Amino acid sequence: QVQLVESGGGLVQAGGSLRLSCAASGRTFTRRAMGWFRQAPGKEREFVAAIMWSGGTPYIADSVKGRFTISRDNVKNTVYLQMNSLKPEDTAVYYCAVASGNYNLSSSRRYDYWGQGTQVTVSS
């Protein structure tokens, strides 16, 4: 059974930092890209960042570029999202996901396994 478990969310003041983790279990995700999305109340799910199996240059949404970084540890089957200089508009539920392919990674339709989400709240 495939399982993705996010952790690291919470309440933080504007300008603060959080590090999200997403641990995959149940099967290995060799050669699979992984990504992070977020969804704020009343809004559609939004792409945040993605990273290929091999690492390399990650894909980062313009809205978080320069503040968020994505990384992965393939031995641990874990992907991370380091979030710095957080803003109130970053408040959302953050989801990690495993992609079915290595292109069009900013589309949620590219992903076939999803975690349950972790809440990030940034106070002003």
Side-chain angles (χ1 to χ4, degrees):
Q1 183 176 359
V2 174
Q3 189 174 21
L4 298 175
V5 179
E6 299 102 334
S7 61
L11 173 64
V12 64
Q13 288 188 334
S17 299
L18 285 174
R19 188 193 194 207
L20 305 184
S21 300
C22 173
S25 62
R27 60 180 289 177
T28 59
F29 295 95
T30 304
R31 308 299 178 191
R32 304 282 288 272
M34 295 183 73
W36 287 95
F37 287 75
R38 66 186 182 185
Q39 188 165 19
K43 295 187 176 181
E44 294 186 353
R45 191 165 295 191
E46 174 190 24
F47 169 76
V48 176
I51 187 167
M52 304 291 281
W53 164 261
S54 59
T57 303
Y59 301 87
I60 307 291
D62 288 342
S63 59
V64 303
K65 195 168 292 183
R67 301 187 296 120
F68 290 13
T69 57
I70 185 172
S71 61
R72 66 188 293 165
D73 183 335
N74 291 335
V75 173
K76 296 181 179 179
N77 262 357
T78 300
V79 64
Y80 305 96
L81 185 69
Q82 178 66 44
M83 305 185 296
N84 299 327
S85 302
L86 283 160
K87 304 176 181 179
E89 51 263 44
D90 295 319
T91 295
V93 177
Y94 284 71
Y95 299 90
C96 72
V98 180
S100 58
N102 290 326
Y103 58 94
N104 200 21
L105 293 176
S106 62
S107 171
S108 61
R109 291 188 293 272
R110 175 52 52 194
Y111 297 81
D112 51 5
Y113 296 108
W114 292 84
Q116 82 290 348
T118 185
Q119 176 71 46
V120 171
T121 303
V122 184
S123 63
S124 58

